[in-house]
Every structure is written in structure tokens, then in C-alpha cells.
Amino acid sequence: MRRKKQDPETCNERCMACARRFSCRKRVLLGYERLAFGSTSDAFRLLMSEGELDVQTLDLYNVSEIKKPKDGAMEIKFFDRLKALEYLGTSSSDDAGAGSLYEALNRCAVTLEGESGNEV
């Protein structure tokens, strides 16, 4: 069965869109992993510090909110680790997306190679 020739530019645009979506998905998964398994020690260092700390050097990725009422106390809220773990658990069963990305890239490569006269 012969494949219908596609415009190489259109195919390339689709491949790039798939690649961007894949890298974005990977970043999201890495973020959820960091929320689920990341350290909260810097947040507790901030909470317990009596002097000024350089906030730029602290890893506060797991912190969702910091409140400092007028009475001088400090309240720190963290992202929910269990929700992050649940998301990671459900997303691992959706790894078919990586396979479909590979298939899309492969189809584009075959189309582009076929038009240039070379075999893949």
C-alpha cells in the first residue's frame, strides 16, 4: 500500500508539535515527582530561623503558600504529596503517549525520506 505524500513542512511542524508536547509532559511528570519526593528541610529552616535567611538559596519548591501575620508568627503550607503520588500513579499507565510520539516521528521520517529518494 502506497502512502499519500505529505508536504514536508507540514509534517515537520506536526513532528515539532509532538516533540514539544512530549517534553512538556516530561517536565510536568518531573515536577510531580519533585512534589511527591522532594525535601522540605529548607522550608523548616525558614520557619525556625530567627535571623534573616537568603531566600534565593532555599529550595521552596514544595511550598504552596507562606503567611506571616502581624503577630510575627509564620505559616507555611505545602503541596499535597499524596495527590502528586496519585497523579504519578495514574500517569504511568498513560505511557502510550510516548509510543504514539515515536510512531508519529517515525511516520514523518518515512515520509521525508521517501520524498528525497532515500530509504529509512
Side-chain angles (χ1 to χ4, degrees):
M1 179 169 113
R2 294 206 68 167
R3 290 186 182 189
K4 179 180 164 186
K5 285 192 175 184
Q6 296 178 358
D7 177 26
E9 245 177 73
T10 304
C11 186
N12 189 37
E13 287 172 16
R14 280 193 217 129
C15 290
M16 294 307 292
C18 288
R20 279 192 298 272
R21 199 171 9 162
F22 178 72
S23 64
C24 183
R25 176 174 162 69
K26 186 165 181 87
R27 283 193 313 230
V28 168
L29 289 174
L30 290 173
Y32 273 104
E33 283 181 14
R34 195 167 168 196
L35 288 177
F37 303 112
S39 173
T40 57
S41 61
D42 281 350
F44 287 110
R45 244 182 50 206
L46 176 65
L47 183 65
M48 302 306 282
S49 71
E50 294 183 20
E52 293 292 319
L53 281 179
D54 184 12
V55 180
Q56 299 287 336
T57 63
L58 299 177
D59 179 12
L60 302 175
Y61 192 82
N62 289 343
V63 174
S64 66
E65 186 178 334
I66 297 176
K67 287 184 182 177
K68 196 164 185 177
K70 292 181 182 179
D71 65 359
M74 184 182 296
E75 180 182 332
I76 298 178
K77 292 185 181 180
F78 296 96
F79 287 105
D80 191 338
R81 288 180 186 260
L82 291 177
K83 286 183 182 177
L85 285 169
E86 286 174 11
Y87 180 82
L88 288 171
T90 58
S91 68
S92 66
S93 63
D94 295 339
D95 282 340
S100 61
L101 171 64
Y102 173 77
E103 290 170 13
L105 291 173
N106 194 32
R107 278 194 305 270
C108 287
V110 167
T111 302
L112 290 174
E113 290 295 326
E115 290 177 2
S116 68
N118 299 331
E119 287 188 27
V120 177

